[in-house]
């Protein structure tokens, strides 16, 4: 799922119990385009932090105090809104004593109105781990933080099923951008809101090994309806104990090729068979989470593997777990370099995939030029323990040159102008004055024009084709080293006209006319057709606010 957007909302749950004072809370905001303006608003006091004219590839680190955490079970305004004029990504980080829990803040376009809630009973889960627990204070229920994502009152229904199977619904109203935190103990099954909300599943002190506990934060995603089967890959390093299945319909969940279980409830917890199995498949689309001491981890289905990921790390112990096709592991890149030669790839038998651990710096991109991969951020590596979350997907499709933040595209100018002014406009607002040198270019422009404003059958746009004043031969007016000679033509019937009828060329913008060309007088008014080259993400700077 693409993690880019221009509007986000989040909050900070209680971290390692309210009595522990030395916790870390921060936001990591990464700009993807030049001259980006970012606003961070703390709704509790209305404080707005604005940073303008930021370079692309800049990380803004917003350090926050302990008191931004919400530990009470009441309606609250302790939410953070992050907005920008161009696409950014947002990572929320909570930590203490070198342990960190990060989660990708989902952009507003990925939020929903209906969420299925995992049926988590803390006491039963801890008992199943057979851990030595030193303090009963840790036996706290899991929590849900529901955040109103709109600037108006929002009606929210919390649907529950008690131990006797009886259903009940509690209805609340959240004010603009307000939140409420509630305890859940396996009884809350669904959140249903009138308008969009963000929902965080959290626990301040989820028991782990060696008498330690770890905060967990997991942003729920709206359910995906459909009958499409799903496949999940589980690297053995996760050492998971249980599998949490969330779905809106009954389905079979198969661990390996033969161990299949029918899941009939909206949320079921299954024991993991094997150490664990490398492959888990389902007959319909579901959400799967691995549960082990101190960890609740969203699994990335192979259908959601991407071409490139952005990773923001927290020292001292950090890294990435990469899953790639075994036949193409050599193609995995970190930033602009191949992976180090000492990386060890572990084959996931029977899947066609392998996984590896990769050390990384404070920021990095991990990508593949030809294949989709899966990447998790690893926050802490220690004996028999691992903490982390899925990395931020930037573009779904692989690209041979890196991490694409803006694909190549043709853009139509807003106003009509002469051919000469059109050329200046494109150089100022795009990259190039459009040239059409092959049939696939025609198809791309037709698609771009279809996605933009509707045009009439008489609409035309300027392209960079014109006549030589001395020879009257057609040539492309280029600003780069591309040949100016014309090897591909796409004239309308009866075109081009005589030189005295026009020295410049325009293209029909009406999709059914397929962008056919005609000659026209250069001073006549038409909209410019500009070409923007592919833009890639590169790290430039870190700014602490």
């Amino acid at each position: 799922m693409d993690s880019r957007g221009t509007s986000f909302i989040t909050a900070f749950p209680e971290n390692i119990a309210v009595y522990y004072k030395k916790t870390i809370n921060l936001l990591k905001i990464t700009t993807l385009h030049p001259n980006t303006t970012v606003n961070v608003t703390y709704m509790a006091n209305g404080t707005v932090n604005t940073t303008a004219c930021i370079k692309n590839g800049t990380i803004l680190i917003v350090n926050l105090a302990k008191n931004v955490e919400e530990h009470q079970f009441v309606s609250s305004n302790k939410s953070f809104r992050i907005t920008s004029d161009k696409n950014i990504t947002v990572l929320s980080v909570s930590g203490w004593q070198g342990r960190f829990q990060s989660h990708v803040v989902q952009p507003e376009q990925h939020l929903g109105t209906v969420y299925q809630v995992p049926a988590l009973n803390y006491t039963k889960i801890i008992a199943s781990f057979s851990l030595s627990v030193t303090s009963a204070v840790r036996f706290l229920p899991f929590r849900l933080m529901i955040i109103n994502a709109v600037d108006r009152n929002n009606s929210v229904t919390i649907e529950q099923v008690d131990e006797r199977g009886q259903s009940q619904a509690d209805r609340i109203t959240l004010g603009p951008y307000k939140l409420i935190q509630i305890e859940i103990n396996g009884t809350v099954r669904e959140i249903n809101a009138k308008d969009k909300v963000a929902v965080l599943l959290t626990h301040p002190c989820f028991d782990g090994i060696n008498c330690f506990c770890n905060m967990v934060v997991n942003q729920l995603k709206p359910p995906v309806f459909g009958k499409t089967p799903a496949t999940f890959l589980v690297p053995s390093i996760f050492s998971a104990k249980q599998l949490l299945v969330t779905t809106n319909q009954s389905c079979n969940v198969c661990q390996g090729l033969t161990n299949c279980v029918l899941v009939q409830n909206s949320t079921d917890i299954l024991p993991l068979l094997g150490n664990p199995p490398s492959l888990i498949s389902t007959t319909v689309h579901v959400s799967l989470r691995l549960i082990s001491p101190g960890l609740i981890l969203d699994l990335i289905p192979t259908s959601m593997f991407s071409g490139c990921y952005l990773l923001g790390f927290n020292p001292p112990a950090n890294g990435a777990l990469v899953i790639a096709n075994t036949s193409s592991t050599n193609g995995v890149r970190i930033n602009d370099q191949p992976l180090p030669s000492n990386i060890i790839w572990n084959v996931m038998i029977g899947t066609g995939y392998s996984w590896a651990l990769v050390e990384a710096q404070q920021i990095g991109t991990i990508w593949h030029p030809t294949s989709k991969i899966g990447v998790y951020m690893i926050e802490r590596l220690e004996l028999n323990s691992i903490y982390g979350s899925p990395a931020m997907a930037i573009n779904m499709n692989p690209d041979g040159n890196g991490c694409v933040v803006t694909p190549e595209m043709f853009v139509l100018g807003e106003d009509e102008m002469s051919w000469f002014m059109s050329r200046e406009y494109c150089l100022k607002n795009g990259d190039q004055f459009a040239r059409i040198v092959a049939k696939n270019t025609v198809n791309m422009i037709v698609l771009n024009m279809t996605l933009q404003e509707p045009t009439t059958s008489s609409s035309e746009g300027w392209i960079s084709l014109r006549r030589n004043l001395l020879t009257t031969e057609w040539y492309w007016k280029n600003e780069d080293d591309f040949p100016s000679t014309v090897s591909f033509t796409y004239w309308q019937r009866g075109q081009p006209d005589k030189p005295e009828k026009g020295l410049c060329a325009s293209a029909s913008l009406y999709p059914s006319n397929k962008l056919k060309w005609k000659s026209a007088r250069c001073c006549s008014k038409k909209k410019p057709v500009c070409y923007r080259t592919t833009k890639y993400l590169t790290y430039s700077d870190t700014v602490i606010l």
Side-chain angles (χ1 to χ4, degrees), residues 437 465 474-476 478 482-488:
V437 296
L465 186 65
W474 292 97
Y475 72 98
W476 294 107
N478 298 321
F482 192 87
S484 61
T485 54
V486 179
S487 58
F488 169 83

Side-chain angles (χ1 to χ4, degrees), residues 327-532:
S327 60
S328 60
T329 54
N330 289 338
V332 179
R333 301 286 189 269
I334 180 167
N335 296 324
D336 59 350
Q337 298 294 322
L339 294 184
S341 58
N342 61 348
I343 293 295
I344 299 174
W345 286 96
N346 303 271
V347 176
M348 305 174 73
I349 298 174
T351 68
Y353 287 85
S354 297
W355 65 270
L357 288 176
V358 179
E359 293 183 0
Q361 305 302 316
Q362 188 178 37
I363 184 176
T365 55
I366 293 183
W367 56 281
H368 198 288
T370 58
S371 300
K372 292 184 178 182
I373 57 177
V375 180
Y376 296 87
M377 293 182 292
I378 303 303
E379 303 289 347
R380 178 181 173 87
L381 299 175
E382 60 181 17
L383 183 62
N384 297 324
S385 292
I386 188 170
Y387 307 95
S389 60
M392 291 177 282
I394 296 299
N395 62 291
M396 293 293 291
N397 297 319
D399 186 280
N401 295 313
C403 198
V404 176
V405 292
T406 304
E408 65 173 344
M409 64 178 67
F410 290 88
V411 181
L412 186 64
E414 296 181 359
D415 301 320
E416 293 184 341
M417 57 192 77
S418 69
W419 185 93
F420 306 100
M421 293 298 295
S422 292
R423 175 173 171 269
E424 290 184 14
Y425 172 89
C426 287
L427 295 180
K428 180 179 178 180
N429 296 282
D431 290 305
Q432 299 173 5
F433 201 4
R435 55 183 177 236
I436 305 171
V437 296
K439 189 63 167 67
N440 63 340
T441 308
V442 172
N443 296 335
M444 184 184 299
I445 297 180
V446 169
L447 176 62
N448 285 170
M449 295 303 104
T450 302
L451 295 176
Q452 296 182 46
E453 64 180 55
T455 56
T456 64
S457 57
S458 60
S459 297
E460 297 173 3
W462 288 122
I463 56 177
S464 66
L465 186 65
R466 64 161 298 155
R467 292 184 191 266
N468 185 298
L469 294 177
L470 296 178
T471 67
T472 70
E473 295 294 323
W474 292 97
Y475 72 98
W476 294 107
K477 178 63 175 175
N478 298 321
E479 313 303 327
D480 54 21
D481 295 331
F482 192 87
S484 61
T485 54
V486 179
S487 58
F488 169 83
T489 60
Y490 207 56
W491 297 105
Q492 296 180 22
R493 181 175 297 180
Q495 291 289 330
D497 211 333
K498 298 176 181 179
E500 57 267 27
K501 295 288 187 179
L503 295 175
C504 296
S506 64
S508 173
L509 300 179
Y510 197 58
S512 63
N513 290 345
K514 300 298 183 183
L515 218 72
K516 292 283 188 176
W517 309 344
K518 62 181 294 186
S519 57
R521 297 185 183 277
C522 301
C523 291
S524 58
K525 301 294 181 68
K526 306 177 191 297
K527 291 185 176 182
V529 181
C530 307
Y531 171 71
R532 292 181 181 172

